Amino acid sequence: MPSILITGASSGIGRATALRFLEEGWTVGLLARREDKLVELAGDHANARIIVCDVTDFEEVDRAFDWFAGEAGRIDVLFNNAGRGAMPATIDEMSPETWLSVVNVNLNGMFWCARAAFRHMRAQSPQGGRIINNGSISATTPRPGATPYNATKHAITGLTKSLALDGRPFTIACGQIDIGNAATDMTVRMAKGITQADGSVKSEPTMDVQEVANAVMHMANLPLEANILSMTVMATNMPFVGRG
């Protein structure tokens, strides 16, 4: 069976996607910082591989990818999913520590993981693989008070396009999934009310996170001669189209 490494696998979108691939029989690398969460997620799935790793540490990332490639035989897909946000604030209220923390996970972490995956996919035989970056609808249309998150997700679009271009000679495909309001712990506050571009606070609809897992599965199952460069999966009635 094919293999996939999923970062940020211990909760939310990563967890839902990991379970989907485990149920389909893929060899799944479950990568996150919390070993207890990963152990609980893996359960009795013999096809699960637990990888405790901090994506902001490139040496840890390289060791983790080397280990998983050895366990699985190759890396067919990376779901580059680990990410974080910050409490809403304008830029002048944002601490340097908050900015650096978000950038280190959302941009540097994704870069390190993509770098490690690309290295293995280029060297393995048969050559190639697929990298799926978790962007956000904020990669094109920002929310107010979220400068670090918006900036890093815009940057992921550039990373995706660069990898899609540079991966061509090595049969490495890269695409991005932009997700809007999947129901996870991170989106609980959206149901309670979230600040809109006009300054009002409104409750926003969410969608079942399983729909994201299904979309990632679709992208992952494409033959390498086909690629979804950009996909948006969102709650139908959320304020995105026409936002602002």
Side-chain angles (χ1 to χ4, degrees):
M1 291 299 292
S3 65
I4 181 170
L5 195 155
I6 299 174
T7 68
S10 61
S11 63
I13 289 167
R15 177 185 173 85
T17 305
L19 286 171
R20 180 78 169 83
F21 279 83
L22 286 169
E23 290 162 2
E24 289 294 320
W26 286 55
T27 300
V28 183
L30 308 173
L31 189 150
R33 292 177 297 175
R34 291 280 304 275
E35 185 174 14
D36 58 332
K37 296 283 188 180
L38 296 177
V39 170
E40 185 272 328
L41 171 60
D44 59 359
H45 290 99
N47 51 328
R49 302 292 183 270
I50 293 171
I51 310 168
V52 179
C53 176
D54 180 351
V55 298
T56 68
D57 185 327
F58 72 90
E59 293 179 332
E60 277 193 36
V61 168
D62 282 348
R63 287 194 296 268
F65 277 70
D66 290 348
W67 181 84
F68 180 69
E71 283 285 304
R74 60 184 285 116
I75 301 175
D76 292 302
V77 179
L78 163 66
F79 182 33
N80 212 0
N81 167 72
R84 58 153 297 177
M87 292 301 294
T90 55
I91 192 169
D92 59 310
E93 299 170 328
M94 195 77 59
S95 71
E97 292 78 16
T98 297
W99 166 261
L100 290 172
S101 181
V102 175
V103 169
N104 279 335
V105 176
N106 291 7
L107 181 54
N108 293 342
M110 279 201 170
F111 177 88
W112 301 134
C113 291
R115 174 177 175 267
F118 197 103
R119 172 170 57 86
H120 279 280
M121 292 172 181
R122 180 176 181 175
Q124 62 197 10
S125 182
Q127 189 179 63
R130 186 181 305 278
I131 297 170
I132 301 171
N133 291 327
N134 185 348
S136 169
I137 59 170
S138 293
T140 58
T141 309
R143 285 188 180 277
T147 304
Y149 188 81
N150 294 331
T152 54
K153 291 304 183 178
H154 273 67
I156 293 307
T157 300
L159 176 65
T160 298
K161 291 178 179 180
S162 292
L163 294 173
L165 178 60
D166 293 347
R168 289 177 185 174
F170 313 112
T171 324
I172 299 172
C174 185
Q176 179 169 319
I177 182 165
D178 293 333
I179 302 160
N181 289 17
T184 68
D185 290 343
M186 288 184 66
T187 59
V188 169
R189 66 190 181 96
M190 292 180 179
K192 296 178 179 178
I194 190 168
T195 303
Q196 306 297 310
D198 62 2
S200 64
V201 177
K202 295 178 181 177
S203 174
E204 293 190 10
T206 58
M207 64 174 176
D208 189 340
V209 69
Q210 190 60 42
E211 299 307 328
V212 178
N214 293 339
V216 176
M217 175 64 75
H218 175 63
M219 295 173 78
N221 273 323
L222 289 173
L224 287 177
E225 60 264 26
N227 186 40
I228 295 173
L229 180 65
S230 177
M231 175 191 286
T232 301
V233 181
M234 55 179 274
T236 303
N237 293 330
M238 69 172 291
F240 171 54
V241 178
R243 182 192 286 180

